[in-house]
Amino acid sequence: MSNLTTRIITALIGVSLMITGIVFSSWSFAAVFLIIALLSLKEFYGLARKSGSNPFEIWGIVFSAIIFVMVFLNQQGEITKDIFWVLPALFSTVFIYPLMRLEQSHAINCLAISILGVLYITLPFSLVFPIAYTSGVFDYEIIIGMLFTQWANDTGAYFAGKAIGKTKLFEKVSPNKTWEGAIGGLVLSIAISQVFCYFFGGLTYIEWAGLAIVVSTFGTIGDLVESLFKRTLAIKDSGSTIPGHGGFLDRFDGLLLALPFVLAYLTMIN
C-alpha cells in the first residue's frame, strides 16, 4: 500500500470519527479536543526530550486537562469565571518540581519547556470552546467549517505545490513549501468555506471567506513554526501515532496559531 493510499484511508477514518464526536454532543466535542490536545502536548514534550531536556510532563498534562475542563464547563454554564482564580495557584506548582529533582541539572530549561508546552498547545486548543459558543450556545458548524478549511488548505497546498510549486516560501525552515502551494491552499480553503456557507449559513459568504483566509494564513505560519522545531531537532515527524500522517502535532500544528486569530476574527464580526 502506497504512502498516499495510507494517508487517504487514515484521513477518512480519522475525520469520520472526529466529526461524529463533534456533532454528537457538546460533551463528546470537548472529549475529542481534550484527547487531541493532550496527545499533541505529549508529543511536544517528546520532542523536547530528544533535545536533551526533561520537561515535567505529568504537571503539563494534568494542568492542561484542568484548564480544558474548566474552560468547557464555564462555556456550558456549569461553573462561573470566579473559579478560574485557582489556576494561578495550580500553575505555580510547576516551580516545586525542581525541588523534587535535585539531581537534575538545567532546571530552568526544564521549567521553560514545560510552561512553553502549555502556552503553545493547551491554551490555543482551549479556544475551541469560546469559538464553538460564539453565538451563546454550542454551535458545531463553525468548528467543522474551520476544520475543513484548515484541511482544505493543507490539501490544496500539497497538490498545488507538487504540480506547480517553484518559489520557495520559507526554504530555511521547510524546503518543500512554496508560494504556489500556499496560494493553492488558500484558494481551496476559500472554496470550501463557500460550500459550508451554502449548506450551513451562520456567517455570510464574505464572513466565511474571511474565516478561510484567517485559517489558511495563520495555519500555514503555524505549520512553519512546528517545522522549525522539528528542523532544529533534525527529525521528520513529531510522532507516528497516525499512519501516514506522523503524529497529532503534525496534523494539528496549523490550528495552534490559527485558533487565537479565528476567535479574534469571530469576536470582531459578531
Side-chain angles (χ1 to χ4, degrees):
M1 184 181 298
S2 68
N3 184 58
L4 180 59
T5 302
T6 302
R7 286 172 65 93
I8 292 173
I9 293 175
T10 304
L12 290 174
I13 295 173
V15 168
S16 298
L17 292 174
M18 190 173 179
I19 298 303
T20 300
I22 293 172
V23 173
F24 185 73
S25 73
S26 60
W27 292 90
S28 58
F29 154 72
V32 166
F33 276 97
L34 174 62
I35 292 171
I36 291 172
L38 295 185
L39 289 176
S40 297
L41 181 61
K42 186 174 178 62
E43 289 177 359
F44 176 80
Y45 286 149
L47 290 177
R49 279 194 294 274
K50 291 181 180 179
S51 71
S53 183
N54 188 17
F56 308 129
E57 185 174 309
I58 294 178
W59 173 85
I61 290 176
V62 172
F63 184 62
S64 296
I66 291 173
I67 291 176
F68 247 70
V69 171
M70 290 179 64
V71 174
F72 169 66
L73 292 178
N74 175 253
Q75 293 295 324
Q76 282 276 98
E78 303 287 341
I79 60 175
T80 66
K81 292 182 179 179
D82 292 341
I83 199 171
F84 281 84
W85 287 109
V86 305
L87 289 179
L90 294 175
F91 170 79
S92 297
T93 58
V94 70
F95 297 102
I96 300 174
Y97 270 75
L99 298 176
M100 300 168 61
R101 297 184 183 179
L102 294 177
E103 76 286 352
Q104 179 175 294
S105 59
H106 308 296
I108 298 298
N109 177 267
C110 296
L111 277 170
I113 293 296
S114 302
I115 295 170
L116 177 61
V118 174
L119 295 176
Y120 173 52
I121 295 173
T122 306
L123 293 187
F125 269 131
S126 68
L127 297 181
V128 296
F129 300 124
I131 290 173
Y133 287 82
T134 301
S135 62
V137 295
F138 176 58
D139 180 7
Y140 64 79
E141 295 171 358
I142 196 71
I143 294 294
I144 294 178
M146 179 188 67
L147 289 174
F148 270 91
T149 54
Q150 174 64 51
W151 293 331
N153 180 64
D154 293 341
T155 303
Y158 176 81
F159 285 106
K162 285 284 186 181
I164 59 174
K166 293 181 180 179
T167 310
K168 300 300 182 182
L169 178 62
F170 211 126
E171 189 172 8
K172 291 184 178 180
V173 173
S174 185
N176 295 325
K177 288 183 172 58
T178 63
W179 279 101
E180 292 83 0
I183 294 171
L186 175 61
V187 171
L188 185 57
S189 184
I190 293 174
I192 291 297
S193 75
Q194 300 307 286
V195 173
F196 265 84
C197 184
Y198 178 81
F199 285 103
F200 296 108
L203 304 176
T204 66
Y205 282 103
I206 294 178
E207 288 171 341
W208 270 108
L211 177 65
I213 292 172
V214 170
V215 171
S216 178
T217 301
F218 292 102
T220 298
I221 298 174
D223 186 54
L224 287 171
V225 170
E226 205 231 345
S227 293
L228 176 62
F229 289 152
K230 292 187 293 185
R231 191 171 182 80
T232 302
L233 299 174
I235 61 174
K236 183 177 185 296
D237 296 318
S238 65
S240 57
T241 312
I242 310 174
H245 292 267
F248 278 86
L249 192 53
D250 292 310
R251 288 306 92 209
F252 296 98
D253 52 2
L255 282 179
L256 295 176
L257 196 62
L259 283 167
F261 289 94
V262 167
L263 180 58
Y265 171 74
L266 293 174
T267 301
M268 286 189 294
I269 66 175
N270 283 324

